[in-house]
């Protein structure tokens, strides 16, 4: 799939599309665009073999701002276009750019099915917990009681946990990163690219205008370490200002305890191949889950889950007895002029 | 008993077979049609079945029917009233007797007429419909206990009753084979071929087939050899083809001729699903077919594949077309080639899923928001579905536009003799590729002399670019909200579609006349009924012309002038008058509309009567 030697080597500068970027000043999208551009040249693809496909929303303007092939499609449907493209052109590096409304409200159906099909594409889900482009309405990831123009008395709908939804639908790669963590974002994007299958990266993204407070606790330098736990394979889940806290498994439930209070054997060691634990991690921020554990759990950041699974397009091509290509005259001749019995 | 043509049948003959859905009536019809085709006869077929897979046994709503018209010369429809009617139970008789010609042959399965079946069919306690019909003497009646004789034929097989019941269709096939003096050996070899993977099934089928044939012999039924029809020799390689199969072949031919791989994404929907099934089976053809989660996803995947340079296609029906319209609008805006096959069925909403209608015409033309013109084509007959589908792909790839093909449930499931063309005889398809070696800077919306943009697909070096649903600046494709540019782009997109008119044949009547008192203008699957109605009217001394539109947008050139030559214009269609509305609006002339929305096509007799009525009632222009 990937070219060992890039014949058309390109640099970050080559990725400038010349279009004026029209996101609001200080929007989290800028940081994401920057890190995507930063890592692309090192992935080994030719510039013309990279495609960004987006839906509708602020984040979906992304393809216009990067000098690769790009397709700004319609609301919620980007995963379907990416599926059709990847199946027919498996050599391309295909990236879907989507938001919480695009992927989980109008595109919820496709989000489920792309996960279970598992084409080798990367999905960057910009989650700012609000509708930005339409001026601040509630989104499927907004917390309960969010006051917005459509929910002036507070929203009632409980939020979806995107990674839990994805894992429930059979995702083979589920990760979370934050637009403020530049290096972590870049590393997560690299890992997504390396994964053979659908790689979902949820990015907590700052909407300055309509949802400025949403990620206050994990943005603020004073509280960030208390509220984030970094996931690294084989490492225990320690967090806090001085890494003094641990996630301890007690009676099968994750609880926050002082690091030294967790017995060896109960300490949660991150294993991204463990689907059971990944499902719990994806629920850490769910108030109902926190209530059941009796702990205020931190936000897990990193690769929650990763599993080897033959990508959709590989299986499809494997079922063909002749490689995908134009129908041949011989095939048609045989079908259209059958021998008379 | 009135005289029937004992030895010499009329030039055309209609056979109608009706039983319970699940009794294998469609399979029986198909096998009988193939046997007829083997004799060199022309034929037209039409299925008529309920949407439910196994509707309640013995009821009027559970009936499944198959009608075939055979003839010595060209046949265009499955015909109207039947010369031979086979009824497997009382409900079938009740619903279909009005469709049997006086003097026709009525074949009755007497086992389908016990008290229970009579009651299910809605006959009164003391009614004996068979005796009543015999008394009236209008028809020639052949009665056979088909169910019992089928069970007997399978007596030495260890089979449950239900499984035996399923072979009754073979008894009827055998009986018809005797009646029409068909070659039993040929039929048997067909069955062996058909069930080659299930030899036990073949042997059972053949046992019952022979039982049916021998019943005819033993009962000394008068044979009416179809062979005595003296058919005109059919063209070499002529074969019997269903509309959905012709559609699939048309797509494959376009793939071969354009050099583009064929990709199809679908969501299952009656009556379009078969097109996807056919292509899915042909994995040796190097075609990819995928089933998506809904029609929106199907058209999305098709758009993704088209963006990557494939010949990308979907097949759907009305409810699916509704869901796809937003994405089709995007394809109009970005100018990508898609082929959307709408096998129309009776609507609105779920409507009557297995029944034909032509009511999606205006939705295909104008169903999208904004100014979103695209070509709309419609096959006239099942075999024409091959050529129309090929042409749709041809136009899509040469003009970078989505194209909608309006087939319908009648074309999809009807069959006609078809002479396949050789690939080299089909028009070549040339794609407006961007030349990656060009020294010019690639501009995604720079156009050639036909108004078509140059096409660069991912993977082509030096032409990375962005497309999308936002309005694009002329030439560069950069996002533009500038009013004058939007107007220019709207005009350019429409002009491109209008330009297609120069690549399609100009308007021509079937008979070649350019003036006269009366012209019938039709489109889509009404072709056969109009053709046969017009032939009939001409034979009875009327001067009538027939014009059939295979291109609904853009319409052929010269149409306005041609219509001008006729005093009265009549438009029959299976909707509430959509083409009539279109012609009146486009050409500002009086059009008389004949409509039928019963989920059943016009029969030629019905149509010739209605044409005469309309010609009298309709005010001349």
């Amino acid at each position: 799939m990937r070219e060992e030697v890039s014949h058309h080597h390109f640099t970050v500068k080559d990725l400038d599309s010349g279009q004026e970027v029209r996101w609001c000043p200080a929007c989290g999208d800028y940081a994401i665009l920057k890190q995507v551009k930063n890592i692309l040249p090192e992935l080994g693809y030719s510039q013309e073999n990279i495609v960004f496909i987006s839906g509708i929303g602020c984040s979906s303007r992304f393809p216009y701002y990067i000098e690769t092939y790009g397709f700004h499609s319609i609301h919620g449907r980007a995963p379907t276009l990416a599926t059709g493209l990847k199946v027919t052109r498996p050599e391309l590096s295909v990236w879907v750019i989507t938001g919480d409304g695009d992927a989980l409200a109008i595109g919820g159906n496709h989000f489920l099915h792309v996960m279970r099909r598992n084409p080798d594409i990367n999905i960057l889900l910009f989650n700012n917990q609000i509708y930005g482009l339409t001026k601040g309405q509630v989104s499927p990831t907004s917390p309960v009681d969010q006051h917005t123009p459509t929910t002036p008395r507070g929203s009632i709908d409980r939020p979806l946990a995107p990674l839990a939804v994805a894992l429930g639908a059979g995702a083979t790669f589920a990760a979370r990163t934050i637009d403020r963590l530049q290096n972590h974002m870049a590393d997560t994007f690299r890992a997504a690219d390396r994964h053979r299958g659908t790689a979902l990266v949820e990015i907590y993204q700052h909407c300055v205008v309509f949802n400025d407070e949403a990620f206050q606790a994990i943005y603020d330098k004073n509280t960030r370490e208390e509220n984030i736990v970094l996931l690294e394979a084989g490492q225990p889940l320690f967090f806090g200002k001085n890494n003094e806290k641990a996630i301890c498994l007690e009676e099968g439930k994750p609880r926050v305890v002082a690091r030294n209070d967790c017995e060896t054997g109960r300490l949660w060691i991150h294993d991204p191949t463990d689907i059971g634990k990944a499902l719990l991690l994806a629920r850490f921020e769910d108030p109902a889950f926190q209530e059941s554990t009796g702990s205020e759990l931190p936000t897990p950041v990193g690769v929650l889950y990763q599993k080897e699974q033959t990508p959709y397009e590989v299986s499809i091509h494997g079922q063909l007895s002749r490689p995908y290509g134009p129908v041949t005259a011989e095939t048609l001749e045989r079908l259209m002029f059958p021998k008379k019995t | 008993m009135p005289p029937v043509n004992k030895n010499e049948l009329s030039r055309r003959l209609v056979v109608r077979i009706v039983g319970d859905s699940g009794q294998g009536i469609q399979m029986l019809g198909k096998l009988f049609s193939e046997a007829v085709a083997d004799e060199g006869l022309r034929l037209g077929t039409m299925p008529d079945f309920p949407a439910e897979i196994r509707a309640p046994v013995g009821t009027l709503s559970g009936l499944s029917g198959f009608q075939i018209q055979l003839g010595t010369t060209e046949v265009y429809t499955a015909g109207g009233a039947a010369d031979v009617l086979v009824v497997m139970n009382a409900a079938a008789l009740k619903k279909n007797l009005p469709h049997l010609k006086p003097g026709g042959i009525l074949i009755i399965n007497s086992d389908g007429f016990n008290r229970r079946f009579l009651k299910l069919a809605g006959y009164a306690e003391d009614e004996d419909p068979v005796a009543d019909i015999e008394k009236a003497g209008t028809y020639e009646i052949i009665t056979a206990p088909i169910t019992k004789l089928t069970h007997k034929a399978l007596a030495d097989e260890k089979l449950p009753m239900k499984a035996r019941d399923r072979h009754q269709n073979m008894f009827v096939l055998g009986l018809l084979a005797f009646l029409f003096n068909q070659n039993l050996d040929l039929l048997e070899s067909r069955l062996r071929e058909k069930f080659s993977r299930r030899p036990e099934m073949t042997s059972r089928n053949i046992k019952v087939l022979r039982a049916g044939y021998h019943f005819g012999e033993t009962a000394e039924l008068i044979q009416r050899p179809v062979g005595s029809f003296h058919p005109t020799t059919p063209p070499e390689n002529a074969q019997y083809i269903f509309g959905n199969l012709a559609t699939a072949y048309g797509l494959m031919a376009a793939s071969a001729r354009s050099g583009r791989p064929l990709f199809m994404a679908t969501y299952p929907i009656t009556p379009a699903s078969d097109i996807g099934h056919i292509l899915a089976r042909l994995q040796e053809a190097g075609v990819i077919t995928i089933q998506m989660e809904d029609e929106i996803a199907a058209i999305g995947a098709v758009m993704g594949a088209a963006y990557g340079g494939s010949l990308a296609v979907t097949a759907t029906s009305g409810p699916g077309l509704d869901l796809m319209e937003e994405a089709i609008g995007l394809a109009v805006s970005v100018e990508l080639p898609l082929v959307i096959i709408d096998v129309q069925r009776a609507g609105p909403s779920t409507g009557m899923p297995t029944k034909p209608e032509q009511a999606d015409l205006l939705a295909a033309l104008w169903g999208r928001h904004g100014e979103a013109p695209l070509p709309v084509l419609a096959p006239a007959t099942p075999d024409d579905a091959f050529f129309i589908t090929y042409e749709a792909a041809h136009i899509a790839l040469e003009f970078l536009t989505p194209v909608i093909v309006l087939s319908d449930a009648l074309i999809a499931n009807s069959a006609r003799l078809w002479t396949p063309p050789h690939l080299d005889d089909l028009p070549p398809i040339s794609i407006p590729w961007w030349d990656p070696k060009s020294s010019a800077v690639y501009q995604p919306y720079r156009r050639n002399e036909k108004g078509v943009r140059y096409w660069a697909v991912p993977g082509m070096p030096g032409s990375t670019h962005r497309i999308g649903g936002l309005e694009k600046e002329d030439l560069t494709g950069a996002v533009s909200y500038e009013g004058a540019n939007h107007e220019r782009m709207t005009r350019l997109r429409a002009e491109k579609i209008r330009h297609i008119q120069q690549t399609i044949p100009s308007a021509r009547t079937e008979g070649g006349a350019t003036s006269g008192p009366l012209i019938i203008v039709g489109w889509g699957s009404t072709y056969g009924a109009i053709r046969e109605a017009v032939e009939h009217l001409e034979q009875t001394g009327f001067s009538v012309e027939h014009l059939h539109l295979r291109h609904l947008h853009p319409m052929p050139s010269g149409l306005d002038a041609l219509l001008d030559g006729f005093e009265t214009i009549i438009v029959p269609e299976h909707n509430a008058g959509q083409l009539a509305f279109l012609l009146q609006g486009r050409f500002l002339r009086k059009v008389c509309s004949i409509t039928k929305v019963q989920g059943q096509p016009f029969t030629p007799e019905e149509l010739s009567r209605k044409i005469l009525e309309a010609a009298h009632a309709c005010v001349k222009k």
Side-chain angles (χ1 to χ4, degrees), chain B residues 202-229:
Chain B
T202 314
S203 80
R204 278 179 222 145
N205 276 336
I206 287 175
K207 269 184 199 170
V208 181
L209 177 81
R210 286 183 186 160
Y213 192 90
H214 295 146
F215 174 85
E217 241 170 21
T218 316
E220 294 184 352
L221 299 181
I222 299 158
Q223 286 190 301
R224 293 147 175 90
V226 174
S228 69
F229 260 46

Side-chain angles (χ1 to χ4, degrees), chain A residues 67-338:
Chain A
E67 189 58 57
T68 63
Y69 279 90
F71 198 158
H72 179 219
S73 74
I74 42 177
H75 208 5
R77 320 302 175 197
T80 69
L81 277 87
T83 301
L85 181 62
K86 186 66 188 182
V87 162
T88 52
R89 297 288 306 278
E91 77 278 18
L92 299 175
S93 169
V94 179
W95 300 71
V96 167
I97 304 294
T98 184
D100 39 317
D102 194 57
L104 300 164
I106 191 165
N109 193 18
H110 313 308
F111 184 78
L112 296 179
H113 289 275
V114 77
M115 293 303 156
R116 78 183 180 95
R117 286 196 187 98
N118 193 41
D120 185 11
I121 62 174
N122 309 307
I123 301 180
L124 306 186
L125 196 170
F126 295 28
N127 184 1
N128 56 16
Q129 305 185 347
I130 202 80
Y131 279 63
L133 200 59
T134 49
K135 299 192 172 59
Q137 298 84 352
V138 68
S139 107
T141 54
S142 302
V144 169
D145 209 29
Q146 179 111 342
H147 289 248
T148 78
T150 51
T151 56
R153 290 167 292 281
S155 66
I156 297 160
D157 306 1
R158 285 169 298 144
L160 284 175
L163 297 178
V165 172
L167 289 170
T172 62
F173 181 102
R176 179 185 289 130
T177 185
I178 298 172
D179 59 2
R180 294 283 172 98
L181 306 178
Q182 300 288 323
N183 292 336
H184 189 267
M185 250 200 302
D187 285 343
T188 312
F189 297 160
R190 288 187 191 101
D193 171 68
R194 280 194 300 274
H195 178 68
R196 284 180 80 242
T198 301
L200 172 67
V201 181
E202 178 188 27
I203 308 159
Y204 280 165
Q205 174 250 320
H206 191 193
C207 178
V208 191
V209 176
F210 296 110
N211 211 10
D212 196 31
E213 307 286 301
F215 302 115
Q216 196 65 33
I218 55 174
Y219 280 168
D220 189 329
K221 287 220 167 87
N222 296 318
T223 55
R224 180 187 289 176
E225 281 130 347
E226 302 292 329
N227 291 305
I228 290 177
V229 59
L230 216 55
L231 305 174
E232 283 174 80
Q235 296 300 312
L237 267 56
F238 292 147
F239 69 106
K241 268 212 165 64
N242 305 301
N243 259 357
E244 75 285 2
K245 294 180 189 171
I247 305 290
C248 201
L249 274 167
E250 291 172 5
E251 292 158 8
K253 287 179 177 169
R255 292 210 172 97
V256 176
V257 297
R259 180 170 170 164
N260 296 330
D261 290 349
C262 188
E263 283 174 45
T264 335
R266 298 202 166 202
L267 193 60
W268 184 315
I269 311 291
H270 183 52
D271 175 5
T273 65
D274 185 333
I275 183 67
K277 279 181 162 172
L279 285 165
L280 293 181
L281 285 170
R283 280 274 165 225
F284 267 30
E285 293 174 295
D286 175 355
F289 184 63
Q290 296 202 359
E291 196 182 320
S292 82
T293 64
S295 260
E296 267 189 47
L297 297 165
T299 296
V301 171
V303 178
L304 278 71
Y305 182 66
Q306 182 169 16
K307 178 182 184 261
E308 280 296 317
Q309 171 98 35
T310 310
Y312 181 61
E313 71 279 4
V314 173
S315 301
I316 284 191
H317 287 261
Q319 286 188 340
L320 298 178
S321 49
R322 210 186 129 256
Y324 183 56
V327 174
T328 64
E330 295 72 50
T331 304
L332 266 175
E333 200 82 352
R334 187 175 53 70
L335 290 167
M336 289 182 6
F337 299 92

Side-chain angles (χ1 to χ4, degrees), chain B residues 26 83 85 88 102 141 157 180 186 217 234 269 320 340 367 459 545 554:
Chain B
Q26 301 307 320
D83 297 278
L85 173 66
M88 298 299 283
I141 299 177
E157 303 263 351
F180 294 116
L186 201 61
E217 241 170 21
I269 188 166
I340 301 113
E545 254 299 2

Side-chain angles (χ1 to χ4, degrees), chain B residues 191-249:
Chain B
L191 287 180
R192 280 194 195 94
E193 203 180 302
K194 190 135 271 166
F195 300 99
S196 60
R197 277 184 224 161
R198 301 180 62 191
E200 79 290 349
M201 192 75 166
T202 314
S203 80
R204 278 179 222 145
N205 276 336
I206 287 175
K207 269 184 199 170
V208 181
L209 177 81
R210 286 183 186 160
Y213 192 90
H214 295 146
F215 174 85
E217 241 170 21
T218 316
E220 294 184 352
L221 299 181
I222 299 158
Q223 286 190 301
R224 293 147 175 90
V226 174
S228 69
F229 260 46
H230 300 303
T232 53
T233 320
E236 203 192 347
N237 296 319
Q239 58 183 282
Y240 161 82
I241 195 162
F242 283 90
N244 274 348
L245 182 61
T247 301
Y249 286 173

Side-chain angles (χ1 to χ4, degrees), chain A residues 8 14 16-19 22 46-53 56 61-75 77-89 91-92 106 109-114 116-117 312-313 316-341, chain B residues 38 186 189-190 193 237-239 249-263 282-294 296-311 326-328 330 334 336 386 418 420-423 456-470 477-479 481:
Chain A
H8 307 279
D14 295 323
D16 183 358
S17 71
Q19 292 283 306
R22 297 194 200 175
S46 298
Q47 198 172 350
E48 64 270 16
N49 277 350
I50 302 170
V51 183
F52 284 87
I53 302 179
I56 294 292
R61 299 294 175 96
F62 188 101
Y64 290 116
Y65 307 140
I66 189 161
E67 189 58 57
T68 63
Y69 279 90
F71 198 158
H72 179 219
S73 74
I74 42 177
H75 208 5
R77 320 302 175 197
T80 69
L81 277 87
T83 301
L85 181 62
K86 186 66 188 182
V87 162
T88 52
R89 297 288 306 278
E91 77 278 18
L92 299 175
I106 191 165
N109 193 18
H110 313 308
F111 184 78
L112 296 179
H113 289 275
V114 77
R116 78 183 180 95
R117 286 196 187 98
Y312 181 61
E313 71 279 4
I316 284 191
H317 287 261
Q319 286 188 340
L320 298 178
S321 49
R322 210 186 129 256
Y324 183 56
V327 174
T328 64
E330 295 72 50
T331 304
L332 266 175
E333 200 82 352
R334 187 175 53 70
L335 290 167
M336 289 182 6
F337 299 92
K339 282 194 198 110
K340 296 253 170 182
T341 43
Chain B
D38 279 343
L186 201 61
S189 72
R190 268 198 185 285
E193 203 180 302
N237 296 319
Q239 58 183 282
Y249 286 173
L251 293 171
M252 292 172 77
S255 165
R257 206 80 173 96
S258 66
R260 295 289 86 207
L262 177 58
F263 173 85
L282 298 172
Q283 76 223 109
E284 75 278 12
V287 173
I288 291 181
T289 58
I290 61 175
Q291 179 181 326
M292 295 298 283
E293 56 271 23
D294 56 27
I296 299 175
I299 192 82
V302 164
M303 185 117 48
Y307 178 60
S310 287
L311 169 54
E326 186 193 9
I328 297 172
L330 174 64
V334 295
L336 276 176
F386 174 88
W418 171 61
H422 285 278
L423 205 52
V457 298
M460 280 189 185
S463 44
T464 50
H465 66 280
R466 274 65 52 199
I467 59 172
L470 289 171
V479 174
Y481 298 154

